[in-house]
Amino acid sequence: MEDKNSIPVNGSGDNQDSSKTKKSGRTSLLDSGEDFEMLEDVDDGVDDDLPPLEDAGGGKKQNSQAETAKTEAVTDNSPSLPPEEWLDVLGNGQLRKKVLEPGSEPDSKPQRGQIVTINLKTSLTDGTTVEEESNISFTLGDGDVMQALDLTVQLMEIGEKALVEAGSKYAYGALGSSTPAVPPHADLILEIQLLSAAEAPDLELLSPSERISLASKKRERGNVHYQRGDYAFAINSYGIALQITEASSRVDISPQEEEDLLDVTVKCLNNMAAAQLKLDHYEAALRSCVSVLAHQPDNIKALFRQGKVLALQGEYAEAIRILKRALKLEPSNKTIHAELSKLVKKHSEQKGAEQAMYKKMLGNPPDINTVQKPQAKSSWVSLGWHRHP
């Protein structure tokens, strides 16, 4: 899932090695598996029965020969249909679409940002039905659904029924899914009917409760992407949530509603910083932390991540200062204690290395205590005797 103006070609089920600029103007960008990396309101039990991501660092996954053979074998088991009837959506054979019934409204293809409603039947390539749902609504291009749907629904007319063959990277990827039950690396067959497409509501006219609900859904979707290791997709979802919470409003809002909106904003920024750290986008993560601290100067998570980013950038003295401040706010936090101890040691080593370098540059001057001192001149003035005539 990328911004609304471009379609990514990497699946939401696989890790991303690059990021795009989101609609809000923030750079799509970056932590190790420590306690403070945990996201706000993430269900720790989600997908915990699934195998770990093969590449948790956000880099491009290298397809092995075995994986390639597996993909080819799965493709061979797909329905045998004349190739001319299929549209190769991306030109790589991994996402193909076939019209089963033409749409009832010509030139009615939905646009990105519109809310579409579909009927969907999902099957494995062996014909096993995984899921069948009616009247599913989502914002096209926001990454609210598997990437195969985002990429193919926008090519359909209203009323059209289509069959889609989706490679695993555009479905549930290397992890698969527990709900619905999809095995890892599974290609899917999707039967889709596009029922309607409507303009998204004007954010300025939404009630505060509607904005809070909508932003929370986008943030939760970002958390799903994060837990799957799809960090660029997660950043995009958090960015969309921030557009909603930070949009101007023509509707009256109560102090409590303002506080609730701010709570969603802070959670999104904190989670975005965690995702940016996963992608090693330190400057972007630092900006997210600073934004949190502008709202909540004593936010422990933001202070910790800010110190973490500064340390990764080699700014040990400033990182130590920030972490000491966080530790003062929460003295019993073991994670901060451990990170602070580690940074103090690194800072000491850095200073030692710098001193050794300076000595080398100066030619390693001898110790002042071993240098022979010159003899002091006598305070008596030696006068020459001259014979007077």
Side-chain angles (χ1 to χ4, degrees), residues 118-122 131-136 145-146 149 172 189-193:
I118 65 171
N119 290 336
L120 175 66
K121 180 181 179 181
T122 305
E131 185 176 47
E132 193 164 358
E133 292 184 285
S134 300
N135 298 306
I136 304 170
V145 291
M146 75 173 82
L149 290 175
Y172 292 99
I189 304 297
L190 311 175
E191 294 180 36
I192 310 167
Q193 181 181 20

Side-chain angles (χ1 to χ4, degrees), residues 243-375:
Q243 293 171 31
I244 297 167
T245 62
E246 296 173 353
S248 58
S249 177
R250 303 179 198 172
V251 181
D252 291 338
I253 183 170
S254 69
Q256 182 59 52
E257 289 168 333
E258 282 187 343
E259 186 176 329
D260 292 342
L261 272 173
L262 178 60
D263 181 62
V264 177
T265 297
V266 167
K267 286 179 178 179
C268 285
L269 287 167
N270 260 330
N271 292 358
M272 181 179 282
Q276 289 163 336
L277 274 167
K278 283 293 189 182
L279 295 179
D280 296 337
H281 293 166
Y282 302 144
E283 289 298 330
L286 197 57
R287 287 194 296 270
S288 296
C289 293
V290 169
S291 295
V292 172
L293 296 171
H295 294 298
Q296 296 179 354
D298 293 338
N299 187 287
I300 297 293
K301 290 178 185 286
L303 286 170
F304 178 82
R305 290 199 180 101
Q306 185 182 33
K308 183 91 173 178
V309 173
L310 290 168
L312 289 168
Q313 292 178 321
E315 301 290 339
Y316 295 125
E318 182 63 13
I320 289 170
R321 185 186 71 80
I322 295 294
L323 290 181
K324 282 182 176 179
R325 179 182 166 195
L327 191 61
K328 186 176 181 180
L329 293 168
E330 200 168 296
S332 61
N333 192 300
K334 294 181 180 179
T335 304
I336 301 176
H337 268 291
E339 187 69 19
L340 189 55
S341 297
K342 183 171 66 176
L343 289 186
V344 168
K345 182 179 178 181
K346 283 186 176 181
H347 190 215
S348 177
E349 291 172 352
Q350 183 190 53
K351 288 195 295 185
E354 288 176 353
Q355 288 174 352
M357 181 184 67
Y358 293 147
K359 260 189 170 184
K360 187 175 181 180
M361 290 173 61
L362 295 173
N364 197 17
D367 191 326
I368 191 171
N369 294 322
T370 64
V371 177
Q372 185 176 359
K373 296 181 180 180
Q375 292 184 351

Side-chain angles (χ1 to χ4, degrees), residues 92-202:
N92 60 4
Q94 292 295 302
L95 188 63
R96 302 200 304 158
K97 171 183 174 289
K98 178 182 183 294
V99 177
L100 297 178
E101 293 181 17
S104 57
E105 300 179 30
D107 301 322
S108 60
K109 291 178 181 178
Q111 302 297 312
R112 288 180 160 212
Q114 288 187 318
I115 296 176
V116 297
T117 302
I118 65 171
N119 290 336
L120 175 66
K121 180 181 179 181
T122 305
S123 305
L124 301 179
T125 53
D126 64 3
T128 303
T129 299
V130 170
E131 185 176 47
E132 193 164 358
E133 292 184 285
S134 300
N135 298 306
I136 304 170
S137 294
F138 60 93
T139 303
L140 191 60
D142 272 12
D144 296 341
V145 291
M146 75 173 82
Q147 201 178 3
L149 290 175
D150 257 340
L151 293 171
T152 56
V153 169
Q154 61 184 292
L155 303 176
M156 299 175 65
E157 306 280 0
I158 302 297
E160 178 183 326
K161 288 184 179 180
L163 191 65
V164 172
E165 291 182 347
S168 64
K169 69 183 296 184
Y170 303 107
Y172 292 99
L175 287 181
S177 170
S178 56
T179 307
V182 177
H185 299 289
D187 295 351
L188 297 179
I189 304 297
L190 311 175
E191 294 180 36
I192 310 167
Q193 181 181 20
L194 178 57
L195 302 177
S196 65
E199 294 300 324
D202 187 339

